């Protein structure tokens, strides 16, 4: 049978869709890129904010139309919405035939078999052990150069606003051997960059191996592979990690360190486990150890009881840090979380939008400054492909994760490391010239 898969949400879901694909292929199912050829349509979903779920429901409506023409088609919902809503999804969305949560993908081939023979099926048991470490993901949506490698699953930090612990279960770490094996396989297939991913990579722990030790092992084992990682958590990021980052040139000089808010009152309500002062101290420490580091963040405005003063503190923290880039959101209440149960979603929508716009405007200024400071510098860039605009230009990223576009030069192929001197920039990218080596 032919299947088609569509992915929403975070990097973890991208990695999971690659696991799902590998599992189905092993059982004889065939991946198709064109939805019209599919006999099974799978959608891997996200529940992090209301609008993430709304988007998926919109897609299910489109699949329903396809199903009207071809009734034998089966539609499956995977991922975080599957886990959150379980059989409610079958009731609410008539087009849906199967609902499978993030820890049940090994059962997927059997569930599809059952569904084809006529029954509807829901499988969403969260596991304490499942890591899929015995499965080699099938990279189907890839540039062939850079891949995600999951190192932990789940999260138990219980930030008060966040649905992830409820839909992804307890935190589990994969064995270093299985991580190394996966990276070796990528290397053998000419990949040049891996991003180690987890909801909080800093709490990776396998037997007595910590994240900084894992990173050191990987950096030593693969000196010619670029290594990135995400997401760090301000309450857990260690000094030894900074030492490892500073020691190995193949570890990228970029830290994604979500702050959420600059107000201690908000950080406490969010249950983030650090203060503004501790966060700023950590930033100082990162910069001291890794002078050329880029720092990015996530910011959430309009959480319960956030007032104008709290909001001002977020803006002032952003300025103080001078983030290179940021992902910015307005709070969306998720039922079942601590905040939904015990706090009031009392910032009016209009006010949330105003604050979000202010945060975005400030970040635009900061990103501008960050790029301005790169003009005149020379970076090592990993070539990923052509620029979006033209095949006369190549694009890649530097160690700091900034996108750089430059004119095509003879003999350069995708996957090469080249030296590029930055000459100017646009709102999204640095523009440079390659230096002949
Ligand atoms: N594990 C990562 C974050 C994963 S979710 C961490 O702890 O940093 C990515 C981002 O989505 C979060 O950093 C937060 O800014 C945002 N987010 C999470 N829950 C949200 C909610 N209920 N409403 C709005 N944004 C949310
Ligand atoms: Fe959510 Fe917090 Fe876990 Fe991140 S660390 S996934 S924000 S509970
Ligand atoms: Fe969304 Fe699930 Fe990731 S809720 S952000 S896809 S872990």
């Amino acid at each position: 049978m032919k299947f088609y898969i569509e992915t929403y949400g975070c990097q973890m879901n991208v990695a999971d869709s690659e696991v799902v694909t590998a599992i189905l292929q092993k059982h004889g199912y065939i991946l198709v890129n064109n939805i019209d050829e599919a006999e099974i349509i799978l959608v891997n979903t996200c529940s992090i904010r209301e609008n993430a779920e709304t988007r998926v429901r919109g897609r299910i409506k489109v699949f329903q139309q396809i199903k009207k023409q071809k009734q034998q088609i089966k539609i499956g919902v995977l991922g975080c919405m599957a886990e959150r809503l379980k059989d409610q999804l079958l009731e609410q969305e008539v087009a849906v035939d199967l609902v499978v949560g993030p820890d049940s993908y090994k059962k997927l081939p059997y569930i599809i078999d059952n569904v084809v023979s006529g029954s509807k099926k829901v499988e969403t048991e969260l596991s304490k052990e499942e890591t899929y470490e015995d499965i080699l993901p099938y990279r189907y949506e890839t540039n062939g150069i850079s891949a995600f490698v999951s190192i932990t699953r789940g999260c138990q930090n219980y930030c008060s606003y966040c649905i992830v612990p409820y839909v992804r279960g307890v935190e589990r770490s994969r064995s270093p051997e299985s991580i190394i094996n996966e990276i070796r396989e990528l290397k053998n297939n000419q990949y040049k960059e891996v991003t180690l991913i987890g909801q909080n990579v800093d709490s990776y722990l396998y037997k007595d191996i910590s994240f900084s030790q894992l990173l050191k092992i990987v950096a030593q084992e693969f000196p010619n592979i670029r290594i990135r990682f995400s997401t760090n958590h301000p309450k857990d990021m260690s000094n030894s990690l900074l030492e490892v980052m500073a020691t190995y040139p193949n570890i990228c000089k970029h830290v994604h360190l979500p702050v959420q808010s600059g107000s201690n009152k908000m950080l406490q309500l969010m249950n983030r486990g650090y203060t503004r002062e501790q966060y700023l101290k950590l930033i100082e420490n990162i910069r001291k150890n890794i002078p050329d580091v880029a720092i990015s963040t996530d910011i959430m405005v309009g959480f319960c009881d956030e007032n104008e003063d709290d909001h001002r503190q977020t803006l002032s923290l952003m300025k103080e840090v001078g983030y290179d880039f940021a992902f910015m959101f307005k709070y969306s209440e998720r039922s079942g979380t601590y905040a939904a149960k015990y706090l009031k979603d009392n910032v009016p929508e209009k006010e949330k939008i105003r604050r979000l716009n202010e945060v975005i405007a400030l970040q635009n200024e900061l990103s501008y400054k960050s790029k301005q400071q790169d003009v005149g510098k020379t970076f090592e860039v990993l070539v990923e492909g052509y620029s979006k605009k033209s095949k006369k230009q190549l694009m890649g990223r530097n160690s700091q994760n900034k996108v750089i576009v430059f004119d095509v030069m003879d003999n350069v192929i995708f996957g090469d490391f080249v030296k590029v001197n930055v000459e100017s920039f646009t709102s999204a990218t640095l523009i440079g010239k390659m230096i002949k080596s």
Side-chain angles (χ1 to χ4, degrees):
M1 283 184 85
K2 294 179 183 164
F3 72 100
Y4 168 88
I5 184 163
E6 211 166 271
T7 308
Y8 295 85
C10 64
Q11 301 166 342
M12 206 57 84
N13 259 13
V14 175
D16 274 6
S17 287
E18 295 175 344
V19 165
V20 166
T21 300
I23 292 171
L24 288 176
Q25 286 180 331
K26 198 167 156 226
H27 285 79
Y29 292 81
I30 298 161
L31 176 71
V32 292
N33 297 324
N34 184 346
I35 197 164
D36 297 328
E37 291 173 38
E39 294 158 277
I40 305 155
I41 298 174
L42 298 174
V43 54
N44 195 359
T45 61
C46 174
S47 289
I48 199 85
R49 285 169 288 275
E50 185 67 38
N51 60 9
E53 294 200 349
T54 310
R55 201 171 315 140
V56 167
R57 289 193 192 265
R59 284 303 285 163
I60 295 175
K61 294 282 174 290
V62 173
F63 302 154
Q64 195 169 355
Q65 291 307 315
I66 300 176
K67 207 172 175 173
K68 274 191 186 143
Q69 260 109 62
K70 283 197 258 173
Q71 281 171 8
Q72 71 283 11
I73 284 190
K74 302 295 174 202
I75 294 171
V77 177
L78 314 180
C80 299
M81 260 176 99
E83 192 63 47
R84 193 174 87 77
L85 296 164
K86 304 191 168 71
D87 22 8
Q88 269 183 52
L89 262 176
L90 289 183
E91 291 155 25
Q92 294 163 352
E93 304 289 346
V94 288
V96 174
D97 300 286
L98 58 134
V99 175
V100 179
D103 288 344
S104 305
Y105 295 148
K106 282 185 182 159
K107 293 185 190 156
L108 201 51
Y110 313 105
I111 296 171
I112 294 175
D113 280 351
N114 283 342
V115 163
V116 167
S117 61
S119 58
K120 292 212 169 193
K121 188 77 189 169
V122 178
E123 194 78 51
T124 66
E125 195 69 44
L126 285 175
S127 157
K128 287 194 172 64
E129 288 96 31
E130 182 62 274
T131 57
Y132 299 115
E133 67 175 25
D134 52 332
I135 291 167
L136 212 50
Y138 179 80
R139 321 270 167 190
Y140 64 95
E141 232 178 49
T142 173
N143 58 11
I145 290 156
S146 186
F148 296 131
V149 174
S150 124
I151 64 166
T152 67
R153 292 183 74 76
C155 182
Q156 55 209 56
N157 288 309
Y158 289 97
C159 301
S160 61
Y161 51 81
C162 185
I163 194 73
V164 170
Y166 305 92
V167 292
R168 287 276 167 172
V170 296
E171 189 178 84
R172 295 140 272 171
S173 298
R174 263 177 83 177
S175 72
E177 291 77 18
S178 74
I179 293 166
I180 300 275
N181 285 343
E182 191 175 323
I183 301 174
R184 186 168 298 120
E185 181 72 18
L186 287 165
K187 183 180 152 235
N188 292 342
N189 286 308
Q190 313 306 320
Y191 278 77
K192 298 290 166 57
E193 181 180 88
V194 296
T195 305
L196 308 178
I197 56 170
Q199 291 300 345
N200 172 357
V201 288
D202 296 303
S203 55
Y204 175 91
L205 189 64
Y206 189 88
K207 299 200 172 133
D208 57 350
I209 306 216
S210 67
F211 179 58
S212 64
Q213 288 165 319
L214 174 76
L215 195 60
K216 188 173 172 178
I217 298 170
V218 173
Q220 283 176 341
E221 183 75 27
F222 303 102
N224 298 321
I225 296 268
R226 249 192 193 181
I227 303 153
R228 301 186 182 279
F229 47 87
S230 187
T231 305
N232 288 96
H233 197 304
K235 78 178 167 61
D236 297 321
M237 196 171 174
S238 69
N239 279 330
S240 55
L241 175 61
L242 297 179
E243 281 162 28
V244 173
M245 279 183 81
T247 307
Y248 295 91
N250 55 332
I251 300 178
C252 286
K253 306 299 179 259
H254 169 219
V255 177
H256 184 64
L257 198 63
V259 68
Q260 313 302 353
S261 170
S263 147
N264 281 333
K265 178 189 107 191
M266 298 315 296
L267 290 171
Q268 190 158 20
L269 281 173
M270 290 174 171
N271 191 31
R272 288 290 289 178
Y274 53 86
T275 61
R276 175 190 177 101
E277 293 71 29
Q278 286 166 333
Y279 184 91
L280 288 171
K281 187 95 194 102
L282 177 57
I283 295 285
E284 197 186 306
N285 210 2
I286 295 171
R287 291 234 159 92
K288 201 171 73 203
N289 281 274
I290 312 153
D292 56 345
V293 73
I295 298 175
S296 58
T297 199
D298 293 350
I299 289 171
M300 190 170 72
V301 304
F303 186 55
C304 313
D305 285 339
E306 186 189 68
N307 61 30
E308 192 57 27
D309 179 53
D310 299 314
H311 173 57
R312 296 277 139 215
Q313 292 188 44
T314 298
L315 295 171
S316 88
L317 178 132
M318 289 172 70
K319 279 188 213 150
E320 206 164 319
V321 177
Y323 290 110
D324 294 277
F325 40 100
F327 299 102
M328 296 153 285
F329 311 100
K330 59 183 165 68
Y331 173 55
S332 161
E333 187 178 85
R334 311 312 291 134
S335 69
T337 59
Y338 180 91
K341 283 189 202 145
Y342 303 108
L343 305 173
K344 277 211 176 74
D345 183 11
N346 52 6
V347 177
E349 183 64 16
K350 238 175 106 180
E351 187 58 23
K352 285 184 185 171
I353 293 170
R354 198 210 93 222
R355 289 179 197 172
L356 180 61
N357 285 338
E358 279 187 18
V359 163
I360 292 172
L362 173 58
Q363 185 52 45
N364 284 343
E365 280 173 35
L366 298 175
S367 299
Y368 183 94
K369 272 190 205 148
S370 148
K371 281 191 283 250
Q372 201 170 33
Q373 284 167 4
D374 289 336
V375 174
K377 291 185 191 163
T378 298
F379 294 104
E380 185 181 66
V381 172
L382 171 58
V383 182
E384 289 178 29
Y386 290 115
S387 92
K388 273 186 212 136
K389 288 197 187 122
S390 142
K391 288 209 167 165
K392 290 187 181 144
Q393 286 190 319
L394 296 170
M395 70 73 67
R397 280 172 300 149
N398 64 8
S399 173
Q400 288 74 9
N401 208 25
K402 290 183 188 168
V403 173
I404 306 188
V405 165
F406 55 98
D407 285 343
V408 172
M409 279 239 201
D410 292 345
N411 304 329
V412 175
I413 56 169
F414 301 166
D416 279 355
F417 287 99
V418 298
K419 290 260 185 323
V420 179
N421 183 255
V422 174
E423 296 182 328
S424 60
F425 58 96
T426 66
S427 62
T429 49
L430 297 171
I431 299 167
K433 206 172 241 144
M434 205 183 113
I435 298 172
K436 279 197 179 141
S437 46

